[in-house]
Amino acid sequence: MLDDTERRVYHGYNWRVAPGSVALHCAGLVKRYGEVIAVNGLDLQVVRGECFGLLGPNGAGKTTTIEILEGLLTADAGEVTVLGRRWDRDAAALRPRLGIQLQETQLADKLTVHETLRMFRSFYPDGPEVDALLATVELGTKRDSWVSKLSGGQKQRLSVACALAGRPDLLFLDEPTTGLDPQSRRQLWAVLERFREAGGTILITTHYMDEAHALCDRVGIMDRGTLIALGTPRELVQSLGAEHVVEFAVTEGSVPSEAELAALPGVRDVRPAMSEAKGGPGPHSAESNGETHTSLSTSEVHLTIPALLDLLRRHDATLSLLGTHSATLEDVFVTLTGRQLRDD
Amino acid sequence: MTNPPSLQDAPKLRRAGRGGASHPLVELTLARFREFLREPEAVFWVFAFPVIMSCALGIAFRSRGNEPVIAGVADQAGADAIVAALEQRGEFTVRRIPPGEIERAIRDGRAPVVVIPGDPPSYTFDEARAESQVARLAVDAALQRAAGRADAFVPVNKPVSAVGSRYIDWLVPGLLGMNIMGTGLWGVGFAIVHARTKKLLKRLVATPMSKAHYLLANILSRLLYLALETSVIMGFAWLVFDVRIYGSLWALGALALFGALAFGGLGLLLASRARTIEAVSGLMNLVMLPMWVLSGIFFASTNFPDAMQPFIHALPLTALIDGLRGVVNEGRSLAELVPELGVMTAWGTISFALALKLFRWQ
């Protein structure tokens, strides 16, 4: 398996925008549902061989966007080119080259894994053997089980196997790991990594930050139907100008003013704590249980923390919480929108 | 972690063909057929239900041949003489009815006619019921003869009880027709709406699958169990009630096929836009109800007024049942059933074409 460094060597940003290697291109995409504008003038380019992540909260327009790119919805305005072709002219030529996994599809409960995959495989003129596909997604032992007997993770892997049945050039995945336990997510990621190594291109939507970090070469952060940030995960985090987040809460004493906090060494940004401990849900408002939560973005934790402690001592404040984490895409989203990425 | 085979290795093994899968039409048909067989409720409605139904009705309406007529006699003064006169003929089962219960006895079926002794005796019976009228005539004739009336002549009676003319013989093709309609509509329509609500249709449209293959597969899988259901129903009727098929089995098969295609097409049409199981169920009941009543499953459709007959004959179930009775009961050939086949073909073709046009895939 390629490590991070190697991946950057082979799929570095500059290499990926080389002309002629565009897998997916859309410009000025607009989709309205009555009064609601689901997608509002979206521009996007995905390069062959890359894994591109579309991030955003629920309702940001990710699913609408991906379904337009998949040719399942028609845009009200804008142009879409997939593998150099257009849906209105070349749908029949395009379909066999795409692998698609939809967010809400439930496969037939009373067919076995093998029967389901056989059916999907039969639609494609070219592709791997059914049993080889099953081995790829590690469902060989479940070959003759009914779909209804599979776990959530196994169902999602079967769903991805169906998407891989035609050996696609381009794989679309719409929140493939939502609701899965960490181990199932990792198993699915491994399948996607192998697809990547074999030269495949992936467009994936997710609202999991660690998923985007682990899988994607580039991510686009979507909010209210438009892209609000675009780049490699590292570039986006660096764009905060601060790679760490210090989060604290005080129970007693006076809270230092925002100006005092901003003056601490290394601090780039001060805000009521919106961020969360990585992975788990955090406080949603600046005040909960009578405590005041604050988060500081900083480039130098080792300077910020001692200064912060001194400042709090001067204010006679008692700490009830102090934590630090490396800045994540979650922090990028919070900084850009002032809102949480996940609303659950 | 061990490395499973990569996607790149597989195609080298066999580049041509479909990676171990058959033609998509075959795969889709088999998938649908397997789903049906693995659904116990569906299997019950298709196979067990018509068998139970024909069993129950066959027993309720078994032919009674020379069963005695039931005659009631009001249990009061003079009853003994009348009971004796009736029993002497040997054609009656006589029941003594307490005088206060005469009308109730007629209503609840204890006796179709009740004789009240007197001079002359009076008969209480239900004018609206044929059975009651027949009983009145028989009782009257017996009492008149007992009182001394002579017959003008003695007729020669030639009773017929040929197999093929009993109610059960007439009923079984009707039940078969009803079943072909029901399984055609439910089997095709339900599966499609189910797949639509589970977004499976949308997923299939995201593959290169041919839409015509999908619709056709639903009808073809339905034909697979049509053969089974026809054999089960006709086989059961033959074994248990000795119902015989006078026409050819080919003609019976062809009629069942035309019927299945007509109702399969109709099922597709009803399912073409429905978004929920409830919506499609309502539509199907709406379509089936008039045919249950009008098409002559349990009683002859000729009972309806003449003005309604053209409409009744244009219904696909009427055409199917008339055709089935023609083959099973009368031994008619397909050439004699062209109008019925035409009606079913028209329904099948028009509804399939409309379904293709209206079908909502997402």
Side-chain angles (χ1 to χ4, degrees):
Chain A
M1 210 167 278
L2 306 172
D3 66 22
D4 269 5
T5 331
E6 284 175 291
R7 191 182 301 149
R8 262 196 305 283
V9 169
Y10 293 114
H11 304 291
Y13 187 79
N14 291 327
W15 178 83
R16 275 181 271 118
V17 289
S21 66
V22 174
L24 195 64
H25 168 88
C26 75
L29 214 56
V30 176
K31 181 70 180 178
R32 288 185 206 87
Y33 293 107
E35 295 288 290
V36 183
I37 300 178
V39 181
N40 193 1
L42 186 87
D43 303 326
L44 198 65
Q45 194 145 317
V46 177
V47 179
R48 289 200 189 185
E50 115 178 289
C51 177
F52 187 94
L54 210 46
L55 261 71
N58 292 332
K62 302 189 300 287
T63 297
T64 306
T65 303
I66 203 171
E67 290 190 351
I68 292 171
L69 300 176
E70 288 164 347
L72 294 173
L73 288 176
T74 317
D76 295 321
E79 59 176 71
V80 176
T81 318
V82 181
L83 300 173
R85 292 168 185 269
R86 283 174 44 179
W87 280 113
D88 52 357
R89 288 201 301 256
D90 306 316
L94 215 37
R95 280 270 167 248
R97 301 181 57 194
L98 305 182
I100 291 176
Q101 178 263 335
L102 300 174
Q103 199 182 129
E104 349 87 305
T105 300
Q106 296 164 273
L107 296 165
D109 277 340
K110 292 188 174 173
L111 293 181
T112 67
V113 167
H114 186 254
E115 287 161 356
T116 303
L117 205 47
R118 262 182 78 130
M119 184 179 84
F120 274 91
R121 179 61 189 85
S122 78
F123 304 145
Y124 295 90
D126 188 30
E129 292 283 316
V130 173
D131 286 315
L133 265 173
L134 281 178
T136 302
V137 296
E138 292 172 64
L139 282 177
T141 54
K142 292 283 168 185
R143 188 181 188 275
D144 298 314
S145 304
W146 284 11
V147 171
S148 58
K149 304 280 183 223
L150 298 182
S151 70
Q154 290 165 339
K155 278 183 188 164
Q156 282 299 28
R157 294 213 299 281
L158 176 58
S159 176
V160 169
C162 292
L164 294 174
R167 198 182 320 104
D169 294 323
L170 175 56
L171 187 57
F172 290 98
L173 302 160
D174 195 2
E175 299 196 4
T177 63
T178 296
L180 298 189
D181 60 81
Q183 195 194 342
S184 302
R185 294 171 65 201
R186 275 170 223 290
Q187 280 180 304
L188 195 69
W189 293 351
V191 172
L192 301 181
E193 287 290 354
R194 287 196 290 277
F195 175 74
R196 279 284 313 284
E197 281 168 31
T201 308
I202 301 178
L203 176 64
I204 183 171
T205 74
T206 182
H207 53 217
Y208 292 119
M209 293 307 100
D210 53 340
E211 183 159 282
H213 266 301
L215 285 177
C216 300
D217 301 303
R218 281 195 308 145
V219 292
I221 299 185
M222 241 187 127
D223 189 41
R224 298 176 190 186
T226 47
L227 277 188
I228 55 173
L230 180 70
T232 67
R234 172 164 294 209
E235 284 166 358
L236 289 177
V237 170
Q238 281 172 348
S239 75
L240 288 175
E243 284 169 38
H244 301 277
V245 175
V246 174
E247 216 173 296
F248 70 95
V250 292
T251 41
E252 290 167 17
S254 60
V255 182
S257 72
E258 202 173 313
E260 281 175 293
L261 290 168
L264 293 173
V267 170
R268 299 293 163 88
D269 190 28
V270 180
R271 56 177 60 248
M274 305 280 290
S275 187
E276 53 186 317
K278 201 175 177 184
H284 281 239
S285 66
E287 274 183 60
S288 60
N289 306 328
E291 297 179 354
T292 310
H293 290 243
T294 309
S295 86
L296 310 172
S297 305
T298 172
S299 53
E300 288 154 306
V301 192
H302 61 288
L303 297 179
T304 307
I305 290 193
L308 173 65
L309 296 177
D310 283 343
L311 179 65
L312 291 175
R313 209 170 295 128
R314 289 201 295 279
H315 280 265
D316 284 328
T318 309
L319 271 177
S320 61
L321 177 149
L322 176 66
T324 71
H325 64 260
S326 303
T328 63
L329 291 172
E330 181 85 41
D331 299 305
V332 175
F333 183 79
V334 171
T335 305
L336 289 172
T337 66
R339 287 179 291 121
Q340 294 289 107
L341 193 51
R342 255 187 298 164
D343 48 17
D344 52 21
Chain B
M1 195 166 83
T2 55
N3 260 346
S6 94
L7 286 172
Q8 297 300 296
D9 302 336
K12 287 175 196 145
L13 300 172
R14 201 170 84 183
R15 211 163 174 98
R18 297 174 185 277
S22 311
H23 188 272
L25 192 55
V26 176
E27 291 290 343
L28 282 165
T29 305
L30 281 179
R32 182 64 211 111
F33 186 54
R34 288 183 180 123
E35 273 190 276
F36 162 75
L37 287 183
R38 291 169 192 174
E39 197 72 62
E41 295 92 336
V43 172
F44 170 82
W45 285 105
V46 171
F47 299 115
F49 178 70
V51 163
I52 293 169
M53 190 88 163
S54 59
C55 210
L57 290 169
I59 290 166
F61 295 99
R62 66 193 180 279
S63 44
R64 269 164 270 195
N66 51 2
E67 262 185 38
V69 173
I70 296 166
V73 177
D75 198 6
Q76 60 187 63
D80 292 347
I82 290 178
V83 169
L86 289 173
E87 284 184 339
Q88 188 199 350
R89 305 280 310 172
E91 295 168 3
F92 297 96
T93 300
V94 181
R95 286 183 185 157
R96 288 172 184 265
I97 307 293
E101 291 182 21
I102 292 170
E103 288 194 7
R104 194 142 68 88
I106 289 174
R107 239 191 351 260
D108 67 22
R110 259 181 293 167
V113 61
V114 177
V115 183
I116 301 163
D119 190 20
S122 50
Y123 307 135
T124 308
F125 68 106
D126 183 351
E127 257 188 326
R129 274 162 55 196
E131 186 198 5
S132 199
Q133 295 209 17
V134 168
R136 192 202 75 89
L137 288 172
V139 165
D140 183 52
L143 293 181
Q144 298 276 10
R145 275 187 214 143
R149 188 180 78 182
D151 287 339
F153 58 88
V154 180
V156 181
N157 293 319
K158 292 183 173 172
V160 174
S161 82
V163 171
S165 62
R166 301 163 306 167
Y167 179 65
I168 188 74
D169 297 303
W170 188 85
L171 176 69
V172 164
L175 287 178
L176 179 60
M178 182 178 82
N179 219 56
I180 289 172
M181 171 174 80
T183 50
L185 292 183
W186 294 118
V188 173
F190 246 53
I192 286 177
V193 176
H194 195 58
R196 183 179 292 124
T197 58
K198 290 174 74 180
K199 308 283 181 191
L200 190 53
L201 279 187
K202 186 172 172 182
R203 178 64 186 86
L204 291 173
V205 173
T207 71
M209 178 195 77
S210 140
K211 293 175 182 179
H213 279 167
Y214 180 79
L215 297 182
L216 214 53
N218 268 283
I219 293 189
L220 287 179
S221 67
R222 191 266 167 280
L223 296 184
L224 286 182
Y225 56 87
L226 171 77
L228 287 173
E229 98 186 76
T230 307
S231 323
V232 166
I233 296 173
M234 295 313 292
F236 175 84
W238 174 61
L239 284 173
V240 176
F241 293 112
D242 198 24
V243 172
R244 307 227 177 124
I245 299 165
Y246 284 82
S248 78
L249 288 178
W250 289 114
L252 179 71
L255 272 165
L257 189 69
F258 272 77
L261 289 172
F263 289 112
L266 210 50
L268 279 186
L269 179 60
L270 295 181
S272 61
R273 312 229 96 192
R275 286 173 197 273
T276 61
I277 294 287
E278 289 79 7
V280 81
S281 304
L283 274 177
M284 291 197 188
N285 281 326
L286 190 69
V287 166
M288 285 197 279
L289 192 70
M291 290 194 263
W292 277 328
V293 175
L294 297 174
S295 290
I297 302 168
F298 303 102
F299 54 89
S301 57
T302 47
N303 284 334
F304 291 101
D306 287 346
M308 287 174 71
Q309 292 300 329
F311 170 72
I312 291 173
H313 277 97
L315 294 173
L317 186 60
T318 316
L320 176 59
I321 290 181
D322 286 354
L324 289 172
R325 287 196 177 124
V327 171
V328 173
N329 300 146
E330 298 161 38
R332 289 160 74 180
S333 70
L334 277 185
E336 298 171 81
L337 297 170
V338 168
E340 282 81 4
L341 294 175
V343 168
M344 288 188 277
T345 308
W347 278 95
T349 318
I350 293 169
S351 49
F352 190 82
L354 274 176
L356 265 179
K357 213 174 164 58
L358 295 174
F359 206 87
R360 198 204 308 267
W361 290 92
Q362 301 192 23

